[in-house]
Amino acid sequence: MKATRLGWAAYATAAVVVALDQAVKLWMVGPFMLPLKGSAPVVGPLSFTFIQNRGVSFGLMQAEADVVRWALVGFSLAVAAALIAWARKPERAAIAAGLGLIIGGAIGNAIDRARLGYVIDFIDVQRLGFFPWVFNVADSAITVGVALILWDSLIAPRKAPAG
């Protein structure tokens, strides 16, 4: 089955997320030298703080075991593959955008985990006082993607069926 126009938009979104996620992470650990700085205030409550996340989303379930690392890589890629199949023919733009964001985020974090053994997290808004986690572009894409799909599934207005 060929992908629809919205399917190709989902794939393009995923590719942009992967490229942006990896480029920003490389900049953070390369020219910005974040690991050496530990944490760098940016503006307001935003800081860049280098974290080696060996767990799942937002650092939950931290594990050093290599088997956990590869299980998480496999799980991320399996989820991405399932969503790639769904994204061939999404019915609405919000679904296509959400799928693209989640696919890109899952692949971006899987690349880190396979290449480094951990995910690079650096966006730190802990000074807000209610969000204690450090995250990255891929995590943000996954979160926004899930929110878009939930919004479309639960709240978005639907056209009444003809008949």
Side-chain angles (χ1 to χ4, degrees), residues 73-135:
V73 170
F75 177 75
S76 295
L77 295 178
V79 167
L83 296 178
I84 286 168
W86 181 11
R88 284 195 336 231
K89 293 194 174 205
E91 295 178 7
R92 290 171 301 283
I95 297 288
L99 290 170
L101 290 167
I102 297 167
I103 292 165
I107 292 171
N109 281 342
I111 289 170
D112 280 10
R113 201 172 302 282
R115 190 171 64 90
L116 304 169
Y118 57 86
V119 173
I120 297 170
D121 286 340
F122 60 91
I123 302 169
D124 182 353
V125 291
Q126 293 181 41
R127 291 189 296 186
L128 286 173
F130 62 86
F131 194 83
W133 302 284
V134 178
F135 55 99

Side-chain angles (χ1 to χ4, degrees), residues 44-69:
L46 175 64
S47 293
F48 291 149
T49 302
F50 180 75
I51 301 288
Q52 295 180 3
N53 180 355
R54 296 179 190 279
V56 293
S57 296
F58 301 116
L60 302 174
M61 298 178 3
Q62 292 287 322
E64 297 287 329
D66 221 31
V67 68
V68 174
R69 166 191 179 186

